[in-house]
Amino acid sequence: MTIAAKFEIEYLQYLDAEGNQIRDDLPAFANDLEHMVGLYKTMLSTRVFDAKSVALQRTGKLGTYASCLGHEAAHVGVGSAMKPEDVLTLSYREYGAQLYRGVQPREVYMYWGGDERGNDYQKEPARHDFAWSVPIATQCLHAAGSALAFKIRKEPRVAVCTVGDGGSSKGDFYGAINIAGAQNLPLVAVIVNNQWAISVPRRIQSGAGTLAQKGIAAGLDCIQVDGNDIIAVRKAMGDALDRARNGEGASVVELVTYRLGDHTTADDARRYRGEDEVKEAWTKDPMKRLRNWLTAKGVWDDAKEEAWKAECDEWMDNEVNAYLETRTQPVTAMFDYIFAEVPADLARQRDYALSLEQKGH
């Protein structure tokens, strides 16, 4: 029998669920304990931010919100591996990556509060990243287009897109990785496999043994990573970004994690998944894993944890107040930023809406 092709998918992990180091070949960045403490602080900040966000929604001060609980290592690992000049195109849950790249919580809240000005990030390097993308997987095409522009301009930049396990089954994802392989584009496609595409479990979404292997058909470098191990995430992302930047092609990186919360605050995950499954997932909590490793290294303890949480609480209070104090846009804003030249029918609607506002309706 003649074999046309064979492939293998590497699985990368450095820390087990308890934070025990299972490999001796730590990447160089992981030996910088001050840097690792910084990564943990960002993860903890992200979790504090997430809890505050859900509380805001539950008290009627925020619209529907997509929690990132359980994704902290995956998201911070992605953001911390990128260079400032790289571009992030994401869906609607990757706050850890955004916070690392300078997005402010007040901007997140403006967006989920229905104010598109939240997409106008004010700080670098997030300022040149893409806005949130709720339509599933369309951001992958945005990343492929950006990567093509980088190649044409001969810029040493990489486009990074994030997509969920369900989103990796969309044609947008396949189209993006196919063109990336065909044109040797500087693209890293990250599949954040949190096991659930809203109410559809991973096991019936795809017959593939891994989601990483979807990149094989496109000719991409592929790897599956323990998405709750930030060392593994950062290492895999760093390698993929270096290859892309050096003209060695695009990659698919699958980060295996778990969505510990509901899909959004409009969802009740208890309707479709069992309590035992969620309890089991909590034993693999990315926060516990890194905290235990840092504690064993003697660079973190309970006092430092509580002190940083207090700083995070103060930071979040300031961000929430900034959001709540933001002046509402005029009603005309919904008409002013769609067309360069407003069509006649929308102009009439704009005038009518303005007249109602002036009458106090």
Side-chain angles (χ1 to χ4, degrees):
M1 181 176 65
T2 302
I3 304 298
K6 288 185 177 181
F7 69 87
E8 294 180 338
I9 299 296
E10 177 189 352
Y11 178 76
L12 185 62
Q13 181 187 42
Y14 288 93
L15 304 179
D16 67 15
E18 296 302 319
N20 300 307
Q21 189 174 314
I22 61 174
R23 294 174 56 146
D24 295 327
D25 57 336
L26 283 180
F29 69 81
N31 291 312
D32 182 348
L33 294 179
E34 183 178 352
H35 175 71
M36 295 306 299
V37 167
L39 292 182
Y40 179 73
K41 284 184 171 182
T42 305
M43 289 170 60
L44 186 53
S45 299
T46 303
R47 183 159 288 191
V48 171
F49 155 80
D50 192 66
K52 177 66 75 173
S53 304
V54 173
L56 281 174
Q57 193 280 332
R58 297 305 190 206
T59 54
K61 297 175 181 177
L62 195 65
T64 299
Y65 169 80
S67 170
C68 66
L69 185 63
H71 299 71
E72 295 86 1
H75 296 167
V76 175
V78 168
S80 63
M82 296 173 65
K83 289 189 175 181
E85 61 268 26
D86 295 334
V87 167
L88 179 63
T89 73
L90 71 172
S91 54
Y92 47 80
R93 201 187 300 275
E94 290 80 21
Y95 311 114
Q98 289 186 300
L99 293 174
Y100 196 94
R101 289 178 61 79
V103 172
Q104 302 172 87
R106 67 187 70 180
E107 293 167 334
V108 181
Y109 295 152
M110 288 175 70
Y111 174 75
W112 287 117
D115 191 331
E116 287 292 335
R117 290 177 296 176
N119 279 316
D120 185 16
Y121 315 133
Q122 295 301 303
K123 293 186 176 181
E124 295 288 351
R127 188 149 180 76
H128 63 257
D129 289 341
F130 278 62
W132 285 280
S133 181
V134 172
I136 303 301
T138 54
Q139 69 276 7
C140 301
L141 297 174
H142 304 157
S146 299
L148 178 58
F150 300 156
K151 182 180 179 181
I152 292 171
R153 296 171 181 169
K154 295 181 170 54
E155 297 175 349
R157 305 169 69 188
V158 182
V160 176
C161 65
T162 58
V163 67
D165 40 300
S168 73
S169 296
K170 290 288 296 296
D172 308 73
F173 173 79
Y174 286 112
I177 64 172
N178 187 70
I179 193 65
Q183 297 294 324
N184 196 42
L185 301 182
L187 171 74
V188 178
V190 181
I191 303 173
V192 184
N193 176 6
N194 68 16
Q195 311 303 318
W196 288 91
I198 308 183
S199 59
V200 180
R202 157 68 178 93
R203 67 179 181 276
I204 64 173
Q205 289 176 45
S206 171
T210 69
L211 300 183
Q213 73 197 57
K214 293 184 176 187
I216 295 292
L220 274 56
D221 190 273
C222 305
I223 188 170
Q224 186 185 71
V225 182
D226 184 340
N228 289 341
D229 175 0
I230 195 169
I231 298 177
V233 175
R234 174 71 182 272
K235 177 65 165 65
M237 283 298 302
D239 289 348
L241 287 161
D242 287 345
R243 282 193 301 271
R245 206 179 312 279
N246 294 332
E248 299 171 20
S251 300
V252 170
V253 179
E254 178 190 359
L255 306 179
V256 181
T257 182
Y258 193 85
R259 193 190 78 214
L260 292 172
D262 297 327
H263 176 69
T264 70
T265 50
D267 174 45
D268 182 0
R270 294 172 299 179
R271 296 175 300 169
Y272 53 79
R273 66 183 187 187
E275 183 179 346
D276 290 344
E277 176 184 328
V278 180
K279 285 183 177 179
E280 169 64 20
W282 270 106
T283 67
K284 303 173 183 178
D285 179 11
M287 302 296 301
K288 177 187 72 173
R289 187 176 310 205
L290 183 56
R291 180 173 62 246
N292 286 353
W293 184 76
L294 292 172
T295 300
K297 295 286 186 181
V299 294
W300 197 253
D301 54 36
D302 290 344
K304 291 179 179 179
E305 179 100 1
E306 292 308 311
W308 183 246
K309 282 182 178 179
E311 287 192 43
C312 290
D313 286 339
E314 182 178 0
W315 164 65
M316 282 308 309
D317 286 343
N318 291 333
E319 289 296 310
V320 169
N321 289 335
Y323 158 65
L324 295 176
E325 292 167 3
T326 301
R327 293 186 62 182
T328 303
Q329 294 187 89
V331 68
T332 52
M334 73 177 80
F335 302 98
D336 291 342
Y337 306 106
I338 302 175
F339 298 97
E341 296 181 9
V342 181
D345 60 332
L346 282 185
R348 288 192 295 270
Q349 292 179 39
R350 182 184 187 279
D351 292 342
Y352 178 65
L354 184 58
S355 69
L356 291 177
E357 184 181 55
Q358 292 170 344
K359 292 177 182 178
H361 292 288

